[in-house]
Amino acid sequence: IGSPLMVRLYSNVPGTPLANPKVRVALNLGYDASAIIKNVLHGIGEPMATFVSSVYPYGVDPALKPYPYDPARARKLLAEAGYPNGFETEIYSASVMPRDVTEALVAYWQTIGVRARIKFIDYAAWARLDNTHKGGPMSVTRFPNAIYDPSHPIGGGVVKAGTWSDYENAEIEKLFSETEGLADRDARDAGFRRITRILHDDAHSVPITELFIVFAKDAQLNWEQPSGSGYYNLRDIGWK
């Protein structure tokens, strides 16, 4: 539905583990997204290459693949980053987020030496922290689509001035500025694909899964859940 589940990383604090891209890549290599989807989410989900949802009509390169589960390489990268014994950290998770997914993720990280203490809090408290850049160093979150365009998640969660961004990358800042001034769809597609490639390689976040809503309806009801939206559209509902 365009509302991927991810871990927001506060990576723009110098001297902290998450400021090192090798640590961020290690976090992505250090958990098995497919296993979490299969065993925790009952098979409903899809691993992601970046937190930009695949439901967007353009700007997402299908050739870009999620990080594989590779704990040995994750431990090697942590050692190269200066953390041969791992490190301790914290991760926020709101009451509305799937608690068991967070617990599974943290259990995987434990095996590579990243000891993350989970701070489960009420959604209202979490949202206040999330909206004011105080939910670090890590926070489990969703990024619902509002305008069905990759400029929304990238503008809000990637560029330096984004309301939900704690990440800085000069190349992305330049590309985003250039892409925002383009009206041609193919040119915008190419620009956003370049941005998502950088997001993947720099491990901007830890994307866990696409979130899919499973629902049932009466066969006599004329209505379909809109694609790429985190909200229900009831304007066209009616009986056959």
Side-chain angles (χ1 to χ4, degrees), residues 37-109:
I37 292 169
K38 178 182 178 181
N39 298 302
V40 181
L41 296 175
H42 309 288
I44 302 172
E46 184 178 318
M48 306 180 68
T50 77
F51 88 112
V52 181
S53 175
S54 62
V55 305
Y56 288 106
Y58 65 91
V60 180
D61 188 350
L64 199 60
K65 302 301 181 184
Y67 279 96
Y69 176 47
D70 192 340
R73 185 181 168 211
R75 287 189 287 268
K76 181 175 183 294
L77 286 173
L78 287 174
E80 292 176 0
Y83 302 97
N85 299 315
F87 59 91
E88 295 185 358
T89 187
E90 294 179 340
I91 182 169
Y92 278 100
S93 187
S95 55
V96 297
M97 304 299 174
R99 183 186 184 108
D100 44 3
V101 170
T102 304
E103 292 173 336
L105 179 66
V106 167
Y108 271 113
W109 283 343

Side-chain angles (χ1 to χ4, degrees), residues 25-228:
V25 171
L27 292 176
N28 277 274
L29 293 168
Y31 78 103
D32 190 336
S34 295
I36 290 177
I37 292 169
K38 178 182 178 181
N39 298 302
V40 181
L41 296 175
H42 309 288
I44 302 172
E46 184 178 318
M48 306 180 68
T50 77
F51 88 112
V52 181
S53 175
S54 62
V55 305
Y56 288 106
Y58 65 91
V60 180
D61 188 350
L64 199 60
K65 302 301 181 184
Y67 279 96
Y69 176 47
D70 192 340
R73 185 181 168 211
R75 287 189 287 268
K76 181 175 183 294
L77 286 173
L78 287 174
E80 292 176 0
Y83 302 97
N85 299 315
F87 59 91
E88 295 185 358
T89 187
E90 294 179 340
I91 182 169
Y92 278 100
S93 187
S95 55
V96 297
M97 304 299 174
R99 183 186 184 108
D100 44 3
V101 170
T102 304
E103 292 173 336
L105 179 66
V106 167
Y108 271 113
W109 283 343
Q110 181 81 21
T111 67
I112 65 170
V114 177
R115 300 171 294 280
R117 182 168 66 93
I118 305 174
K119 301 175 75 172
F120 290 112
I121 59 175
D122 180 75
Y123 176 78
W126 174 87
R128 185 165 56 251
L129 296 174
D130 190 60
N131 292 334
T132 56
H133 303 275
K134 296 178 181 178
M138 298 192 287
S139 182
V140 178
T141 185
R142 294 170 60 182
F143 206 102
N145 158 48
I147 61 173
Y148 206 22
D149 187 278
S151 64
H152 175 236
I154 294 170
V158 176
V159 299
K160 184 178 179 179
T163 301
W164 305 279
S165 174
D166 297 279
Y167 172 81
E168 295 180 21
N169 186 302
E171 187 176 3
I172 287 182
E173 296 290 324
K174 181 175 181 293
L175 285 170
F176 184 72
S177 178
E178 293 172 350
T179 304
E180 280 293 273
L182 297 174
D184 181 78
R185 181 181 173 118
D186 290 340
R188 286 174 63 80
D189 179 43
F192 282 121
R193 287 190 183 207
R194 290 174 64 190
I195 289 173
T196 53
R197 168 64 65 178
I198 297 170
L199 291 178
H200 173 273
D201 294 348
D202 201 37
H204 153 270
S205 58
V206 181
I208 302 172
T209 181
E210 292 271 16
L211 285 177
F212 302 125
I213 294 178
V214 178
F215 63 94
K217 69 170 184 176
D218 191 301
Q220 299 300 311
L221 193 65
N222 279 322
W223 178 73
E224 297 293 338
Q225 163 68 18
S227 175

